[in-house]
Amino acid sequence: LTDLFQPYAMGPLTLANRIVMAPLTRSRALAGDVPGPLAVTYYTQRASAGLIISEASQISQQGKGYAQTPGIYSAAQVAGWRKVTDAVHAAGGKIFIQLWHVGRISHPEFQPGGALPVAPSAIRPAGTVHTSKGKEDMVTPRALETAEIPGIVADYRKAAQNAYDAGFDGVEIHAANGYLLDQFMRDKTNQRSDVYGGSIENRSRLLLEVTDAVLSIWSADRVGVRLSPLSTFSDIDDSNPAPLFSYVVRQLALRNLGYLHMIEGNTGGPRETGRDLDFKDLRQLFPNTYLANNCYTREMALTARGNNTADLIAFGRPFISNPDLVERLRRNAPLNELDPATLYGGGEHGYTDYPFLDHTRA
Ligand SMILES: C=C(C(=O)O)c1ccccc1
């Protein structure tokens, strides 16, 4: 018998079950990068998740790297998100927002005044970015001055306050998948010689300063951090991830954060990378909730609970095509297939029109 579908106490919150909707970029924000009415429907349809973590939401325009991703730095964005959180709460759900700064994974088209994207060091990422002109190579970013860092920390603090004003139940700091905070932590992208570069302590400094800024707004039990120690997504990597992420997890544990959200393996798969890092070791360092993610199936989630290798399991793509994923997993019912053509951009097709098991619900 499994407890996967039983309530779970996470600090002041009681989650209806141990199934979490992972953050999923859908590129459907409206003008001003405001979540629109379809977002209200989309998240409300999925409110049966024990916890919803919103799509990554940029803390400033500088933190934006993709078309139509929502922000959490303007009054209009806060008002848009308020409609989402009110509707999710009315449906009995719980929702955190993921705070995002893309760093170098961007393009001047998205940047204030057409400026270069910013990063710990001026190292051009391999890969392309979708701009209005189509797929373009990414550019060499500008290395941030040491004096600019406090301003970015302040942007995270303000975004955390905005998240509170927008009615979220908590915030997740996005420190995964090769974006700004990950770029600072990993030595492939951070070759700074100031207090934010070189040693593990220095490369982890920005994440911890951001975490402390968020903790000046939110109680620790409503704050999570997402990490992807072995991911190479967005051309990120580190020469020695085990000691780096052991240090980071210990530091997050000292802050008594509500949860650690771990992408186990390479983002989107494979889970096995052959690298010398054991996620069980990282979990042992963290006393509170461990939220495991990356290609989990129903069987893997049941096994994870059976072996207690994770407290909560986050599902991404399955939640896109199955608004009632929890009920389908509970019944071991068939899952709707994901339509990759409607993952990013567009309107309701592939967003709010996936069917429920009991077809009475639209
Ligand atoms: C925020 C993302 C992440 O964390 O990987 C993302 C962004 C664009 C496409 C897919 C995923």
Side-chain angles (χ1 to χ4, degrees), residues 337-357:
E337 193 132 322
L338 175 75
D339 169 17
T342 51
L343 260 178
Y344 306 113
E348 64 182 294
H349 184 43
Y351 190 49
T352 53
D353 64 353
Y354 281 107
F356 285 71
L357 263 179

Side-chain angles (χ1 to χ4, degrees), residues 216-265:
S216 72
I217 305 292
W218 287 88
S219 62
D221 49 21
R222 290 177 182 269
V223 178
V225 172
R226 196 181 208 207
L227 300 173
S228 58
L230 299 182
S231 182
T232 56
F233 196 82
S234 300
D235 193 25
I236 194 81
D237 206 350
D238 189 86
S239 57
N240 194 6
L244 167 63
F245 285 95
S246 297
Y247 172 79
V248 168
V249 172
R250 283 182 205 278
Q251 284 297 316
L252 297 177
L254 283 176
R255 290 160 172 79
N256 204 23
L257 290 195
Y259 72 77
L260 187 60
H261 188 173
M262 194 65 74
I263 297 177
E264 298 171 336

Side-chain angles (χ1 to χ4, degrees), residues 23 25 27 56 66 69 98 100 174 176-177 179 226 233 263 267 344:
T25 291
S27 290
Y66 300 80
T69 56
Q98 190 189 50
W100 193 23
H174 194 347
N177 291 341
Y179 297 115
R226 196 181 208 207
F233 196 82
I263 297 177
T267 303
Y344 306 113

Side-chain angles (χ1 to χ4, degrees), residues 34-210:
V34 175
L38 282 181
V40 176
T41 304
Y42 167 73
Y43 284 110
T44 305
Q45 288 178 335
R46 291 153 178 82
S48 62
L51 175 67
I52 296 174
I53 303 169
S54 82
E55 64 206 279
S57 300
Q58 57 267 12
I59 60 166
S60 62
Q61 192 185 350
Q62 184 192 70
K64 177 175 176 166
Y66 300 80
Q68 292 185 264
T69 56
I72 185 69
Y73 58 87
S74 77
Q77 293 160 354
V78 171
W81 280 118
R82 181 89 232 194
K83 294 188 175 72
V84 172
T85 62
D86 284 347
V88 166
H89 291 149
K94 301 241 178 347
I95 183 167
F96 279 29
I97 185 167
Q98 190 189 50
L99 304 181
W100 193 23
H101 189 308
V102 295
R104 67 178 193 163
I105 306 302
S106 186
H107 186 277
E109 176 172 299
F110 298 120
Q111 289 297 304
L116 286 176
V118 297
S121 302
I123 301 171
R124 180 177 184 165
T128 56
V129 57
H130 288 262
T131 69
S132 56
K133 298 185 184 63
K135 263 189 182 182
E136 290 191 76
D137 287 343
M138 278 193 258
V139 301
T140 301
R142 176 176 69 80
L144 284 160
E145 299 297 328
T146 306
E148 292 179 88
I149 302 279
I152 291 179
V153 174
D155 288 343
Y156 274 98
R157 182 180 298 107
K158 183 73 176 89
Q161 179 62 55
N162 289 342
Y164 182 84
D165 297 342
F168 285 98
D169 299 290
V171 299
E172 175 175 288
I173 296 165
H174 194 347
N177 291 341
Y179 297 115
L180 183 76
L181 300 179
D182 207 10
Q183 290 160 30
F184 268 84
M185 283 189 280
R186 311 241 226 144
D187 60 12
K188 178 174 183 179
T189 39
N190 180 344
Q191 285 154 23
R192 300 177 72 89
S193 54
D194 65 358
V195 292
Y196 292 98
S199 67
I200 282 175
E201 292 77 5
N202 279 1
R203 288 185 276 122
S204 308
R205 191 180 309 281
L206 180 57
L207 168 58
L208 299 176
E209 287 180 350
V210 165

